Amino acid sequence: MTNQPGFIRAYLRASTDDQNASRAREALERFTAEKGASVASWYVENASGTRADRTELSRLIDDARPGDVLLVEQVDRLTRLAKDDWDRLKVAIQSAGLRVVSLDLPTSHAALTVSTGDDFTGRMLDAVNAMLLDMLAAVARKDYEDRRRRQAEGIAKAKDQGRYKGRPVDKEKHRRILELREQGFSVRKTADIIGCGISTVQRAEKRASAG
């Protein structure tokens, strides 16, 4: 007999306004279909994995019931948090009774297939996955810190050479944002339509008002 998990709740996150958080949706749909399951709810947001206060992730945890699955494409989609913040998030996930399943953590896939009556195997897999999840969370954080360091070094070098100009403004995106806002769309709805973060909408409006 195969396990019948609770709802599968998929979390899709992109770290910048210019990335589309829905990019991984097809991979997650394909994965669940191969397991004879389907995603019950999708939670999508543009936010850095280094932020502890992520609206959609918090909503997923609040919505969850014991036995539900938190499905992600990669562990770094769930966390690039510093250790203390990751520990708090992990406790919240565990308290909600969620089991994390990540495509890049094969041992976690068993949460969809382990026999419901096999308590020993389930507990062993949970223990193994908790350890591996901690390791991948640490790797994700280190990767983030390494990239930030290299970026800062590159910017410093470019400034020394007089070549640093910062990130160029996407004028076309800002134009479309302002059009939607003039049509009466809320900040959040505008961000959803454009596929950007709320902060981008706010920056576009601030830039326009500064004129």
Side-chain angles (χ1 to χ4, degrees), residues 140-158:
R141 179 66 184 187
K142 184 177 186 303
D143 176 68
Y144 165 77
E145 291 175 342
D146 287 347
R147 287 192 297 106
R148 291 280 291 181
R149 187 191 69 252
R150 289 194 297 269
Q151 183 183 46
E153 290 171 351
I155 290 173
K157 182 177 180 180

Side-chain angles (χ1 to χ4, degrees), residues 179-204:
E179 285 182 353
L180 290 173
R181 293 290 285 139
E182 288 172 0
Q183 292 170 23
F185 289 97
S186 68
V187 171
R188 178 170 291 279
K189 186 61 178 178
T190 298
D192 290 342
I193 293 171
I194 297 295
C196 67
I198 290 174
S199 60
T200 297
V201 177
Q202 294 170 334
R203 280 198 300 272

